[in-house]
Amino acid sequence: MTFEANLQSLAARWSPSARWTVLTGAGISAASGIPTFRSVEGLWKNFKPEDLATPEAFARDPRRVWEWYDWRRQKIAAAFPNRGHEVLASWSQRQSGFRLITQNVDGLHERAGTASVIRFHGSIWEIRCAESCGGPGSSWTDPRAPLPELPMRCPDCRGLARPGVVWFGESIGADVLARSQEALDCDVCLVVGTSSVVYPAAGLASVARQRGAWTVEINPEPGAADVDLVIAGKAEEVLEKIDALIQRD
Ligand code: OAD
């Protein structure tokens, strides 16, 4: 099938009552100027994400891990949602069965107006006591970028604080897993802008497919996701084209 025919076949499945679930990764935010993790410009001081986003890295050098997050927070704070985020937000408002699961911690889907985002890996804007001291101020949303002190400290116990994100080797929260599993009962599952190498997120599309969803990958360098159809292209361009093809209700 041609590129145009692929877009048509996806757009033809859209209806206000269809259940579409979209899984996104860093590629959806690339056009907003936020580097993806596994691109050259995404590397910070030549560290791989697997060398920074772990409890072990934080225990070894909390200041370095915080510097990386502060660098990403500043990039995100200066960014805006792009057309890809906007199209998905408009679908979330026009389709009652729409669900969005994102691996991104940047909050751009929410800023674009997407209803009830499932944040698989947490939020970079949330900070909590690394020791789980349980004090009343030990978990908070912090919009400051740059942050005033690195490493950040818990205001209650003065121990280390950490970003409210999921690190390699940590479990996904039970509530997030349950909501994600429920969202995988869908008619169409779109996998957008992820390298599909980090589990368990990378396995979600396969579950949707096994349950009967028609699965589609949108990525300029596709290949890793278990899907029925591949649309090779940038999310912000492909989603805009599909939106233009969808019959207005
Ligand atoms: P990656 O950096 O691994 O992959 C980004 C994907 O986006 C690649 O497949 C690119 O081809 C694609 N891409 C680039 N530009 C794009 C565009 N304009 N439109 C669509 N796709 C584009 O990022 P993730 O797959 O999100 O986890 O990484 C998964 C996880 O690894 C992250 O959530 C994070 C990271 O370490 C943790 O920190 C636990």
Side-chain angles (χ1 to χ4, degrees):
M1 283 212 292
T2 64
F3 180 74
E4 288 300 326
N6 285 339
L7 298 181
Q8 287 282 2
S9 66
L10 178 55
R13 293 182 185 240
W14 201 95
S15 79
S17 60
R19 298 167 308 157
W20 282 31
T21 290
V22 183
L23 314 172
T24 64
I28 187 89
S29 296
S32 296
I34 301 169
T36 60
F37 291 98
R38 291 169 181 81
S39 60
V40 175
E41 61 289 7
L43 289 182
W44 178 77
K45 298 186 179 178
N46 282 329
F47 290 105
K48 288 187 276 182
E50 291 84 349
D51 296 333
L52 290 165
T54 69
E56 293 77 20
F58 187 70
R60 230 175 7 248
D61 194 342
R63 185 180 170 86
R64 184 161 76 195
V65 171
W66 262 118
E67 281 173 353
W68 181 53
Y69 280 100
D70 204 37
W71 176 74
R72 289 191 67 83
R73 286 168 60 103
Q74 289 176 61
K75 286 198 177 292
I76 297 163
F80 295 91
N82 64 58
R83 275 303 290 152
H85 296 108
E86 287 168 7
V87 167
L88 295 176
S90 90
W91 293 351
S92 80
Q93 284 148 16
R94 292 163 50 213
Q95 194 181 65
S96 55
F98 184 93
R99 303 276 186 279
L100 191 142
I101 305 171
T102 188
Q103 293 169 81
N104 299 345
V105 296
D106 56 31
L108 289 181
H109 284 302
E110 292 90 331
R111 277 173 60 190
T114 304
S116 58
V117 175
I118 302 172
R119 287 199 298 244
F120 209 73
H121 289 160
S123 167
I124 201 166
W125 301 112
E126 287 168 16
I127 300 180
R128 66 171 191 266
C129 176
E131 311 296 332
S132 306
C133 76
S138 63
S139 164
W140 71 101
T141 302
D142 198 325
R144 293 173 296 177
L147 285 163
E149 63 165 340
L150 298 179
M152 287 294 282
R153 299 214 158 256
C154 171
D156 286 326
C157 72
R158 294 307 295 162
L160 287 171
R162 58 163 286 175
V165 301
V166 178
W167 282 333
F168 288 97
E170 294 183 328
S171 308
I172 309 295
D175 172 57
V176 168
L177 274 184
R179 289 171 64 210
S180 302
Q181 284 297 324
E182 187 264 316
L184 298 176
D185 283 327
C186 56
D187 302 313
V188 170
C189 177
L190 284 187
V191 184
V192 184
T194 173
S195 56
S196 299
V197 295
V198 176
Y199 282 81
L204 297 177
S206 298
V207 175
R209 194 176 190 205
Q210 281 155 20
R211 292 190 197 166
W214 192 61
T215 50
V216 181
E217 178 176 18
I218 298 172
N219 194 319
E221 292 172 49
D226 175 26
V227 292
D228 298 296
L229 177 73
V230 168
I231 301 180
K234 294 181 172 178
E236 63 279 12
E237 295 170 4
V238 171
L239 290 170
E240 174 143 54
K241 286 190 166 84
I242 294 164
D243 192 49
L245 291 169
I246 287 172
Q247 297 281 341
R248 292 283 150 179
D249 28 284

